[in-house]
Amino acid sequence: MIIKNVFTFFIFFILSAQSTNAQVDFVAPIEGDYIINDFAFKSGEHLEQLRLHYTTIGNPTKDKKGQINNAVLIMHGTTGNGSSFLSKQFGENLFGKDQLLDATKYFIILTDDIGHGKSSKPSNELKMAFPKYNYDDMVLANYRLLTEHLKIDHLRLVMGTSMGGMHTWVWGYTYPDFMDALMPLASLPVEIAGRNRIQRKMAIKLIEMDPDWKAGNYTQQPKQGMTGAILSLMFMVSSPLQWQISAPTKAKAEEMMENTLARYSSTLDANDLIYAFDSSRDYNPQPYLSKIKAPLIAINSADDQVNPPELGLMEKEIKNVKNGKYILLPITDKTTGHGTHSNPKIWGKYLEELLEKSQPKIK
């Protein structure tokens, strides 16, 4: 079912996100780590110890059969981490008392995916010798975290933003009986091609062309390559309307560019960035959409430069999802391009609809 209400798939570059250090108004989060020994990647490579970092909010509850019945998995975008969902904009509009994902009722799991946050990644030690992970590896690692470590064998909801949205599609067809509901935000269930693929390769190529990259063996970040990569990717997650509002003059626009560049140059690592963008290389849920069983609501924004609506891809593919529905949010002064995925005030009513629609029957 397609609805075009007159109402970070890719990089959760967090260009418009709120600080994750903001005071939060919900149950205190708890961080943890899980080590998977001899993790086998789809590439055939192995990692002796794969560390997965995660954050939980709330406590698990069980049904009469002893099965955890209130677990919610939320996955971040490219270059992001689970703690990004603790922001005032996201967490304080979802996890508080009597809100949609009230942390006194739900057990919320926020993961740092492979190559991100405090989980194992190239910049830890191995650099370009780190296994070439992909989205299937990332989903499998999270599945093992849930089942082996947190002892969760069913999820009330799987949702994610940008890359996390793409992982939501993968979860849907890889483990179709594992969840009650699915909500991919700012994503498409098709192979990454066209401008999207080209911009990813551009970012990688700009880094690798910098002599200071040294095939990944740099001692300082390759400044020229990273500058080019960051500037090119800024446009991927940009919102023309919001940028015009924020920077209505030449001076303010150039100041905004320099401040954004400086902020991300100080936090991103070149090898991690290469791996993160390359990990989407063989993503393609399209052939498997009919395997998805759980009710699914996919949400994109009309001003999303990563997933532009004029491609018409979601309208075509959502028909192959038995219980699927597509919401295209119109451009307003509240939408922020790709970053709209992190504003529950805009799409929260659809999450409420999904939770009601997928409410498990009491047996």
Coordinates of all heavy atoms in Angstrom, one line a residue, residues 261-350:
L261 N 32.9 21.3 8.0 CA 34.1 20.5 7.6 C 35.0 20.3 8.8 O 35.5 19.2 9.1 CB 34.8 21.3 6.6 CG 36.1 20.8 6.1 CD1 36.0 19.4 5.5 CD2 36.8 21.7 5.1
A262 N 35.2 21.4 9.6 CA 36.1 21.2 10.8 C 35.5 20.2 11.8 O 36.3 19.4 12.4 CB 36.2 22.6 11.5
R263 N 34.2 20.2 12.0 CA 33.6 19.3 13.0 C 33.8 17.9 12.6 O 34.2 17.1 13.4 CB 32.1 19.7 13.1 CG 31.4 18.9 14.2 CD 30.1 19.5 14.6 NE 29.1 19.4 13.5 CZ 28.6 20.4 12.8 NH1 29.2 21.6 13.0 NH2 27.7 20.3 11.9
Y264 N 33.6 17.6 11.4 CA 33.7 16.2 10.9 C 35.1 15.7 10.6 O 35.5 14.6 10.8 CB 32.7 15.9 9.8 CG 31.3 16.0 10.3 CD1 30.5 17.1 10.1 CD2 30.8 15.0 11.1 CE1 29.3 17.2 10.6 CE2 29.6 15.1 11.7 CZ 28.8 16.2 11.5 OH 27.6 16.4 12.0
S265 N 35.9 16.7 10.3 CA 37.4 16.3 10.1 C 38.0 15.9 11.5 O 38.9 15.2 11.5 CB 38.1 17.6 9.6 OG 37.7 17.8 8.2
S266 N 37.4 16.5 12.5 CA 38.0 16.2 13.9 C 37.5 14.9 14.4 O 38.0 14.4 15.5 CB 37.6 17.3 14.8 OG 36.3 17.3 15.1
T267 N 36.5 14.2 13.8 CA 35.9 13.0 14.4 C 36.0 11.8 13.5 O 36.0 10.7 14.0 CB 34.4 13.2 14.7 OG1 33.7 13.6 13.5 CG2 34.3 14.4 15.7
L268 N 36.2 12.0 12.2 CA 36.1 10.8 11.3 C 37.5 10.3 11.0 O 38.5 11.1 10.9 CB 35.4 11.2 10.0 CG 34.0 11.6 10.1 CD1 33.4 12.0 8.8 CD2 33.2 10.4 10.6
D269 N 37.6 9.0 10.8 CA 38.9 8.3 10.4 C 38.8 7.9 8.9 O 37.8 7.3 8.5 CB 39.1 7.1 11.3 CG 40.4 6.4 10.9 OD1 41.5 6.8 11.2 OD2 40.2 5.3 10.1
A270 N 39.9 8.1 8.2 CA 39.8 7.8 6.7 C 39.6 6.3 6.4 O 38.7 6.0 5.6 CB 41.2 8.2 6.1
N271 N 40.3 5.4 7.1 CA 40.0 4.0 6.8 C 38.7 3.5 7.3 O 38.0 2.8 6.5 CB 41.1 3.1 7.5 CG 42.5 3.2 6.9 OD1 42.6 3.6 5.7 ND2 43.5 2.9 7.6
D272 N 38.2 4.0 8.4 CA 36.9 3.7 8.9 C 35.8 4.1 7.8 O 34.8 3.4 7.6 CB 36.6 4.3 10.2 CG 37.3 3.7 11.4 OD1 37.9 2.6 11.2 OD2 37.4 4.3 12.5
L273 N 36.0 5.3 7.3 CA 35.1 5.9 6.3 C 35.1 5.1 5.0 O 34.0 4.8 4.5 CB 35.5 7.4 6.0 CG 34.5 8.2 5.3 CD1 33.2 8.4 6.1 CD2 35.1 9.6 5.0
I274 N 36.2 4.7 4.6 CA 36.3 3.8 3.4 C 35.6 2.5 3.6 O 34.7 2.1 2.8 CB 37.8 3.5 3.0 CG1 38.5 4.8 2.5 CG2 37.9 2.4 2.0 CD1 40.0 4.6 2.3
Y275 N 35.8 1.9 4.7 CA 35.1 0.6 5.0 C 33.6 0.8 5.1 O 32.8 0.0 4.6 CB 35.7 0.0 6.3 CG 36.9 -0.9 6.1 CD1 38.1 -0.4 5.8 CD2 36.7 -2.3 6.2 CE1 39.2 -1.3 5.7 CE2 37.8 -3.2 6.0 CZ 39.0 -2.6 5.8 OH 40.1 -3.5 5.6
A276 N 33.2 1.8 5.8 CA 31.8 2.1 6.0 C 31.0 2.2 4.7 O 30.0 1.7 4.5 CB 31.6 3.3 6.9
F277 N 31.6 3.0 3.8 CA 30.9 3.2 2.5 C 31.0 2.0 1.6 O 30.1 1.7 0.9 CB 31.4 4.5 1.8 CG 31.0 5.7 2.5 CD1 31.9 6.6 3.0 CD2 29.6 6.0 2.6 CE1 31.4 7.8 3.6 CE2 29.2 7.2 3.2 CZ 30.1 8.1 3.7
D278 N 32.1 1.3 1.7 CA 32.3 0.1 0.9 C 31.4 -1.0 1.3 O 31.0 -1.9 0.5 CB 33.7 -0.3 0.9 CG 34.0 -1.5 -0.1 OD1 33.7 -1.4 -1.3 OD2 34.4 -2.6 0.4
S279 N 31.0 -1.0 2.6 CA 30.2 -2.1 3.1 C 28.8 -2.3 2.5 O 28.2 -3.3 2.6 CB 30.0 -2.0 4.6 OG 29.2 -0.8 5.0
S280 N 28.4 -1.3 1.8 CA 27.1 -1.3 1.1 C 27.2 -1.9 -0.3 O 26.2 -2.0 -1.1 CB 26.5 0.1 1.0 OG 27.3 0.9 0.2
R281 N 28.4 -2.4 -0.7 CA 28.7 -2.7 -2.1 C 27.7 -3.8 -2.7 O 27.4 -3.8 -3.9 CB 30.1 -3.2 -2.2 CG 30.4 -4.5 -1.4 CD 32.0 -4.7 -1.3 NE 32.3 -5.9 -0.4 CZ 32.4 -5.7 0.9 NH1 32.3 -4.5 1.4 NH2 32.7 -6.8 1.6
D282 N 27.3 -4.8 -1.9 CA 26.4 -5.8 -2.4 C 25.1 -5.9 -1.8 O 24.4 -6.9 -1.8 CB 27.1 -7.2 -2.3 CG 27.6 -7.5 -0.9 OD1 27.4 -6.7 0.0 OD2 28.3 -8.5 -0.7
Y283 N 24.7 -4.8 -1.2 CA 23.3 -4.7 -0.6 C 22.3 -4.7 -1.7 O 22.4 -4.0 -2.7 CB 23.2 -3.3 0.2 CG 21.8 -2.9 0.5 CD1 21.2 -3.5 1.6 CD2 21.2 -1.9 -0.2 CE1 19.9 -3.1 2.0 CE2 19.9 -1.5 0.2 CZ 19.3 -2.1 1.2 OH 18.0 -1.7 1.6
N284 N 21.3 -5.6 -1.6 CA 20.2 -5.6 -2.5 C 19.1 -6.5 -2.1 O 19.0 -7.7 -2.4 CB 20.7 -6.1 -3.9 CG 19.6 -6.0 -5.0 OD1 18.6 -5.3 -4.8 ND2 19.8 -6.6 -6.1
P285 N 18.1 -5.9 -1.3 CA 17.0 -6.7 -0.8 C 16.0 -7.1 -1.8 O 15.1 -8.0 -1.6 CB 16.4 -5.8 0.3 CG 17.4 -4.8 0.6 CD 18.2 -4.6 -0.7
Q286 N 16.0 -6.4 -3.0 CA 14.9 -6.5 -4.0 C 14.5 -7.9 -4.3 O 13.3 -8.2 -4.3 CB 15.3 -5.7 -5.2 CG 14.2 -5.5 -6.2 CD 14.0 -6.7 -7.2 OE1 14.9 -7.5 -7.4 NE2 12.8 -6.9 -7.6
P287 N 15.4 -8.9 -4.5 CA 15.0 -10.2 -4.9 C 14.3 -11.0 -3.7 O 13.7 -12.0 -3.9 CB 16.3 -10.9 -5.3 CG 17.2 -9.8 -5.6 CD 16.9 -8.7 -4.6
Y288 N 14.4 -10.5 -2.5 CA 14.0 -11.2 -1.3 C 12.8 -10.6 -0.6 O 12.4 -11.0 0.5 CB 15.1 -11.3 -0.3 CG 16.4 -11.8 -1.0 CD1 17.5 -10.9 -1.1 CD2 16.6 -13.1 -1.4 CE1 18.6 -11.3 -1.7 CE2 17.7 -13.5 -2.0 CZ 18.8 -12.6 -2.2 OH 19.9 -13.0 -2.8
L289 N 12.2 -9.5 -1.2 CA 11.2 -8.8 -0.5 C 9.9 -9.6 -0.2 O 9.2 -9.4 0.9 CB 10.8 -7.5 -1.3 CG 11.9 -6.5 -1.5 CD1 11.4 -5.3 -2.3 CD2 12.3 -5.9 -0.1
S290 N 9.6 -10.6 -1.0 CA 8.5 -11.4 -0.8 C 8.6 -12.3 0.5 O 7.6 -12.9 1.0 CB 8.2 -12.3 -2.0 OG 9.2 -13.2 -2.2
K291 N 9.8 -12.4 1.0 CA 10.1 -13.3 2.2 C 9.7 -12.5 3.5 O 9.6 -13.1 4.5 CB 11.5 -13.7 2.2 CG 12.0 -14.6 1.1 CD 13.4 -15.1 1.3 CE 13.8 -16.1 0.2 NZ 15.2 -16.5 0.4
I292 N 9.6 -11.2 3.4 CA 9.2 -10.4 4.6 C 7.8 -10.7 5.0 O 6.9 -10.6 4.3 CB 9.5 -8.9 4.3 CG1 10.9 -8.6 4.0 CG2 9.0 -8.1 5.5 CD1 11.2 -7.2 3.6
K293 N 7.7 -11.1 6.3 CA 6.3 -11.4 6.8 C 5.7 -10.4 7.7 O 4.5 -10.1 7.7 CB 6.4 -12.7 7.6 CG 6.9 -14.0 6.8 CD 6.9 -15.2 7.7 CE 7.3 -16.4 7.0 NZ 7.4 -17.6 7.9
A294 N 6.6 -9.7 8.5 CA 6.1 -8.8 9.5 C 5.5 -7.5 8.9 O 6.0 -7.1 7.8 CB 7.2 -8.4 10.5
P295 N 4.5 -6.9 9.5 CA 4.0 -5.6 9.0 C 5.2 -4.6 8.9 O 6.0 -4.5 9.8 CB 3.0 -5.2 10.1 CG 2.5 -6.5 10.6 CD 3.7 -7.4 10.6
L296 N 5.3 -3.9 7.8 CA 6.4 -3.0 7.6 C 5.8 -1.6 7.1 O 5.0 -1.6 6.2 CB 7.3 -3.6 6.6 CG 8.5 -2.8 6.1 CD1 9.7 -3.7 5.7 CD2 8.2 -1.9 4.9
I297 N 6.3 -0.5 7.7 CA 6.1 0.8 7.2 C 7.4 1.5 6.9 O 8.2 1.7 7.8 CB 5.3 1.7 8.2 CG1 3.9 1.1 8.4 CG2 5.1 3.1 7.6 CD1 3.0 1.9 9.3
A298 N 7.6 1.7 5.6 CA 8.9 2.4 5.2 C 8.6 3.9 5.0 O 7.5 4.3 4.4 CB 9.3 1.9 3.8
I299 N 9.5 4.7 5.5 CA 9.2 6.2 5.5 C 10.4 6.9 4.9 O 11.6 6.7 5.3 CB 9.0 6.7 6.9 CG1 7.7 6.1 7.5 CG2 8.8 8.3 6.9 CD1 7.4 6.5 8.9
N300 N 10.2 7.7 3.9 CA 11.2 8.6 3.3 C 10.7 10.0 3.2 O 9.5 10.2 3.3 CB 11.6 8.1 1.9 CG 12.4 6.9 1.9 OD1 12.9 6.5 2.9 ND2 12.6 6.3 0.7
S301 N 11.6 11.0 3.0 CA 11.2 12.4 2.9 C 11.4 12.9 1.5 O 12.4 12.5 0.9 CB 12.0 13.2 3.9 OG 11.7 14.6 3.8
A302 N 10.6 13.7 1.0 CA 10.7 14.1 -0.4 C 11.9 15.0 -0.6 O 12.3 15.2 -1.8 CB 9.4 14.9 -0.8
D303 N 12.5 15.6 0.4 CA 13.7 16.4 0.2 C 15.0 15.6 0.5 O 16.1 16.2 0.7 CB 13.7 17.6 1.1 CG 13.4 17.4 2.6 OD1 13.2 16.2 2.9 OD2 13.4 18.3 3.3
D304 N 14.9 14.3 0.6 CA 16.0 13.4 0.8 C 16.9 13.3 -0.4 O 16.4 12.6 -1.4 CB 15.6 12.0 1.3 CG 16.7 11.1 1.7 OD1 17.9 11.4 1.5 OD2 16.4 10.0 2.3
Q305 N 18.1 13.8 -0.4 CA 18.9 13.8 -1.6 C 19.6 12.4 -1.8 O 20.1 12.1 -2.9 CB 20.0 14.8 -1.5 CG 19.5 16.3 -1.3 CD 18.8 16.8 -2.6 OE1 19.3 16.8 -3.7 NE2 17.5 17.1 -2.4
V306 N 19.5 11.6 -0.8 CA 20.1 10.2 -0.9 C 19.1 9.3 -1.6 O 19.5 8.5 -2.4 CB 20.4 9.6 0.5 CG1 21.0 8.2 0.4 CG2 21.4 10.6 1.2
N307 N 17.8 9.5 -1.2 CA 16.8 8.6 -1.8 C 15.7 9.5 -2.5 O 14.6 9.6 -2.0 CB 16.1 7.8 -0.7 CG 17.1 7.0 0.1 OD1 17.8 6.1 -0.4 ND2 17.3 7.4 1.4
P308 N 16.0 10.2 -3.6 CA 15.1 11.1 -4.2 C 13.8 10.4 -4.7 O 13.9 9.4 -5.3 CB 15.9 11.7 -5.3 CG 17.0 10.8 -5.6 CD 17.3 10.1 -4.3
P309 N 12.7 11.0 -4.4 CA 11.4 10.3 -4.7 C 11.2 10.2 -6.2 O 10.4 9.3 -6.7 CB 10.3 11.2 -4.1 CG 11.0 12.5 -3.9 CD 12.4 12.2 -3.7
E310 N 11.8 11.1 -7.0 CA 11.6 11.0 -8.4 C 12.1 9.7 -9.1 O 11.7 9.4 -10.2 CB 12.2 12.2 -9.2 CG 13.7 12.3 -9.0 CD 14.1 13.2 -7.9 OE1 13.4 13.3 -6.9 OE2 15.2 13.8 -7.9
L311 N 12.9 8.9 -8.4 CA 13.3 7.6 -8.9 C 12.2 6.6 -9.0 O 12.2 5.7 -9.8 CB 14.5 7.1 -8.0 CG 15.7 7.9 -7.9 CD1 16.8 7.2 -7.0 CD2 16.3 8.2 -9.3
G312 N 11.2 6.8 -8.1 CA 10.0 5.9 -8.2 C 10.3 4.5 -7.8 O 9.5 3.6 -8.0
L313 N 11.4 4.2 -7.1 CA 11.8 2.9 -6.8 C 11.0 2.3 -5.6 O 10.6 1.1 -5.7 CB 13.3 2.8 -6.4 CG 14.3 3.2 -7.5 CD1 15.7 3.4 -6.9 CD2 14.2 2.2 -8.6
M314 N 10.7 3.0 -4.6 CA 9.9 2.5 -3.5 C 8.5 2.1 -3.9 O 8.0 1.1 -3.5 CB 9.9 3.5 -2.3 CG 9.3 2.9 -1.1 SD 10.3 1.7 -0.2 CE 11.3 2.8 0.8
E315 N 7.9 3.0 -4.7 CA 6.5 2.7 -5.1 C 6.4 1.4 -5.8 O 5.4 0.7 -5.7 CB 6.0 3.8 -6.1 CG 5.8 5.2 -5.4 CD 7.0 6.0 -5.3 OE1 8.1 5.5 -5.5 OE2 6.9 7.2 -4.9
K316 N 7.4 1.1 -6.6 CA 7.5 -0.2 -7.3 C 7.7 -1.4 -6.4 O 7.0 -2.4 -6.5 CB 8.5 -0.2 -8.4 CG 8.7 -1.5 -9.2 CD 9.9 -1.3 -10.2 CE 10.1 -2.7 -10.9 NZ 11.3 -2.6 -11.8
E317 N 8.7 -1.3 -5.5 CA 9.1 -2.4 -4.7 C 8.2 -2.7 -3.5 O 8.2 -3.9 -3.1 CB 10.6 -2.2 -4.3 CG 11.6 -2.1 -5.4 CD 11.6 -3.2 -6.4 OE1 11.1 -4.3 -6.0 OE2 12.0 -3.0 -7.6
I318 N 7.6 -1.7 -3.0 CA 6.8 -2.0 -1.8 C 5.6 -2.9 -2.1 O 5.1 -3.6 -1.2 CB 6.2 -0.6 -1.2 CG1 5.8 -0.8 0.3 CG2 5.1 -0.1 -2.1 CD1 6.9 -1.1 1.2
K319 N 5.2 -3.0 -3.4 CA 4.2 -3.9 -3.8 C 4.6 -5.4 -3.5 O 3.7 -6.3 -3.5 CB 3.8 -3.7 -5.2 CG 3.3 -2.3 -5.5 CD 3.1 -2.1 -7.0 CE 2.6 -0.7 -7.4 NZ 2.5 -0.4 -8.8
N320 N 5.9 -5.6 -3.5 CA 6.3 -7.0 -3.3 C 6.4 -7.4 -1.8 O 6.8 -8.5 -1.5 CB 7.7 -7.2 -3.9 CG 7.6 -7.0 -5.4 OD1 6.7 -7.5 -6.1 ND2 8.6 -6.2 -6.0
V321 N 6.1 -6.4 -0.9 CA 6.1 -6.7 0.5 C 4.7 -6.9 1.0 O 3.9 -6.0 0.9 CB 6.7 -5.5 1.3 CG1 6.8 -5.9 2.8 CG2 8.2 -5.2 0.8
K322 N 4.4 -8.2 1.4 CA 3.0 -8.6 1.6 C 2.3 -7.6 2.6 O 1.1 -7.2 2.3 CB 3.0 -10.0 2.2 CG 1.6 -10.5 2.4 CD 1.6 -11.9 3.0 CE 0.2 -12.5 3.2 NZ 0.2 -13.9 3.7
N323 N 2.9 -7.3 3.7 CA 2.3 -6.4 4.7 C 3.0 -5.0 4.7 O 3.2 -4.4 5.8 CB 2.3 -7.0 6.1 CG 1.5 -8.3 6.1 OD1 0.3 -8.2 5.8 ND2 2.1 -9.4 6.5
G324 N 3.4 -4.6 3.5 CA 4.2 -3.3 3.4 C 3.4 -2.1 3.1 O 2.3 -2.2 2.5
K325 N 3.9 -1.0 3.6 CA 3.2 0.3 3.3 C 4.3 1.4 3.2 O 5.3 1.3 3.9 CB 2.3 0.6 4.5 CG 1.6 1.9 4.4 CD 0.6 2.0 5.6 CE -0.2 3.3 5.6 NZ -1.1 3.4 6.8
Y326 N 4.2 2.3 2.3 CA 5.2 3.3 2.1 C 4.6 4.7 2.4 O 3.5 5.1 1.9 CB 5.7 3.3 0.6 CG 6.6 4.4 0.2 CD1 7.6 4.9 1.0 CD2 6.4 4.9 -1.1 CE1 8.4 5.9 0.6 CE2 7.3 6.0 -1.5 CZ 8.2 6.4 -0.7 OH 9.1 7.5 -1.1
I327 N 5.3 5.5 3.1 CA 4.9 6.9 3.4 C 6.0 7.8 2.9 O 7.2 7.7 3.2 CB 4.8 7.1 5.0 CG1 3.9 6.2 5.6 CG2 4.5 8.6 5.2 CD1 2.4 6.3 5.2
L328 N 5.6 8.7 2.0 CA 6.5 9.7 1.5 C 6.1 11.1 2.1 O 5.1 11.6 1.9 CB 6.4 9.9 0.0 CG 7.3 10.9 -0.6 CD1 8.8 10.6 -0.4 CD2 7.1 11.1 -2.2
L329 N 7.0 11.6 3.0 CA 6.7 12.8 3.7 C 7.0 14.0 2.7 O 8.1 14.0 2.1 CB 7.6 12.9 4.9 CG 7.5 11.8 5.9 CD1 8.6 11.9 7.0 CD2 6.2 11.7 6.6
P330 N 6.1 15.0 2.6 CA 6.3 16.1 1.8 C 7.3 17.1 2.4 O 7.5 17.1 3.6 CB 5.0 16.8 1.7 CG 4.3 16.4 3.0 CD 4.8 15.0 3.3
I331 N 7.9 17.9 1.6 CA 8.9 18.9 2.1 C 8.1 20.0 2.8 O 7.1 20.5 2.3 CB 9.6 19.6 0.9 CG1 10.4 18.5 0.1 CG2 10.6 20.7 1.4 CD1 11.1 19.0 -1.1
T332 N 8.6 20.3 4.1 CA 8.0 21.4 4.8 C 9.1 22.1 5.5 O 10.3 21.7 5.4 CB 7.0 20.8 5.9 OG1 7.8 20.1 6.9 CG2 6.0 19.9 5.3
D333 N 8.8 23.1 6.3 CA 9.8 23.8 7.0 C 10.3 23.0 8.2 O 11.3 23.4 8.9 CB 9.4 25.2 7.5 CG 8.2 25.1 8.4 OD1 7.6 24.0 8.6 OD2 7.8 26.1 9.0
K334 N 9.7 21.8 8.4 CA 10.2 20.9 9.5 C 11.1 19.8 9.0 O 11.9 19.2 9.8 CB 8.9 20.3 10.2 CG 8.0 21.3 10.8 CD 8.6 22.2 11.9 CE 7.5 23.1 12.5 NZ 8.1 24.0 13.5
T335 N 11.0 19.4 7.8 CA 11.8 18.3 7.2 C 13.2 18.9 7.0 O 13.4 20.0 6.8 CB 11.3 17.8 5.9 OG1 11.1 18.8 5.0 CG2 9.9 17.1 6.1
T336 N 14.2 17.9 7.2 CA 15.6 18.3 7.0 C 16.4 17.4 6.1 O 17.4 16.9 6.4 CB 16.3 18.3 8.4 OG1 16.1 17.1 9.0 CG2 15.7 19.4 9.3
G337 N 15.8 17.1 5.0 CA 16.4 16.2 4.0 C 16.6 14.8 4.6 O 15.7 14.3 5.3
H338 N 17.7 14.2 4.3 CA 18.0 12.9 4.8 C 17.9 12.8 6.3 O 17.4 11.7 6.9 CB 19.4 12.5 4.4 CG 19.7 11.0 4.5 ND1 19.0 10.0 3.9 CD2 20.7 10.3 5.2 CE1 19.5 8.8 4.1 NE2 20.5 9.0 5.0
G339 N 18.2 13.8 7.0 CA 18.2 13.9 8.5 C 16.8 13.8 9.1 O 16.6 13.7 10.3
T340 N 15.7 13.9 8.2 CA 14.4 13.8 8.8 C 14.2 12.5 9.5 O 13.3 12.4 10.3 CB 13.4 14.0 7.6 OG1 13.6 15.2 6.9 CG2 11.9 13.9 8.1
H341 N 15.0 11.5 9.1 CA 14.8 10.2 9.8 C 15.0 10.2 11.3 O 14.6 9.3 12.0 CB 15.8 9.2 9.2 CG 17.3 9.5 9.3 ND1 17.9 9.9 10.4 CD2 18.2 9.5 8.3 CE1 19.2 10.1 10.2 NE2 19.4 9.9 8.9
S342 N 15.6 11.3 11.8 CA 15.9 11.4 13.2 C 14.9 12.3 14.0 O 15.2 12.7 15.1 CB 17.3 11.8 13.5 OG 18.2 10.8 13.1
N343 N 13.8 12.6 13.4 CA 12.8 13.5 14.0 C 11.5 12.8 14.2 O 10.6 12.9 13.3 CB 12.6 14.8 13.1 CG 11.8 15.8 13.8 OD1 11.2 15.6 14.9 ND2 11.9 17.0 13.3
P344 N 11.3 12.1 15.3 CA 10.0 11.4 15.5 C 8.8 12.2 15.5 O 7.7 11.7 15.3 CB 10.3 10.7 16.9 CG 11.7 10.7 17.1 CD 12.2 11.9 16.4
K345 N 9.0 13.5 15.8 CA 7.8 14.4 15.8 C 7.1 14.4 14.4 O 5.9 14.7 14.3 CB 8.2 15.8 16.2 CG 8.5 16.0 17.7 CD 8.8 17.5 18.0 CE 9.0 17.7 19.5 NZ 9.2 19.1 19.8
I346 N 7.9 14.2 13.4 CA 7.4 14.2 12.0 C 6.7 12.9 11.6 O 5.6 12.8 11.0 CB 8.5 14.6 11.0 CG1 9.0 16.0 11.3 CG2 8.0 14.5 9.6 CD1 10.1 16.5 10.4
W347 N 7.4 11.8 12.0 CA 6.9 10.4 11.5 C 6.3 9.6 12.7 O 5.9 8.4 12.4 CB 8.0 9.7 10.8 CG 9.3 9.7 11.4 CD1 10.4 10.5 11.0 CD2 9.8 8.9 12.5 NE1 11.5 10.2 11.8 CE2 11.1 9.2 12.7 CE3 9.2 7.9 13.3 CZ2 11.9 8.7 13.8 CZ3 10.0 7.3 14.3 CH2 11.3 7.7 14.5
G348 N 6.2 10.1 13.9 CA 5.8 9.3 15.0 C 4.4 8.7 14.9 O 4.2 7.6 15.3
K349 N 3.5 9.4 14.2 CA 2.2 8.8 14.1 C 2.1 7.6 13.3 O 1.3 6.7 13.5 CB 1.2 9.9 13.5 CG 1.6 10.3 12.1 CD 0.6 11.4 11.6 CE 0.9 11.8 10.2 NZ -0.1 12.9 9.7
Y350 N 3.1 7.4 12.4 CA 3.2 6.2 11.6 C 3.8 5.0 12.4 O 3.4 3.9 12.2 CB 4.0 6.4 10.3 CG 3.3 7.5 9.5 CD1 3.9 8.7 9.3 CD2 2.1 7.3 8.9 CE1 3.4 9.7 8.5 CE2 1.5 8.2 8.1 CZ 2.1 9.5 7.9 OH 1.5 10.4 7.2

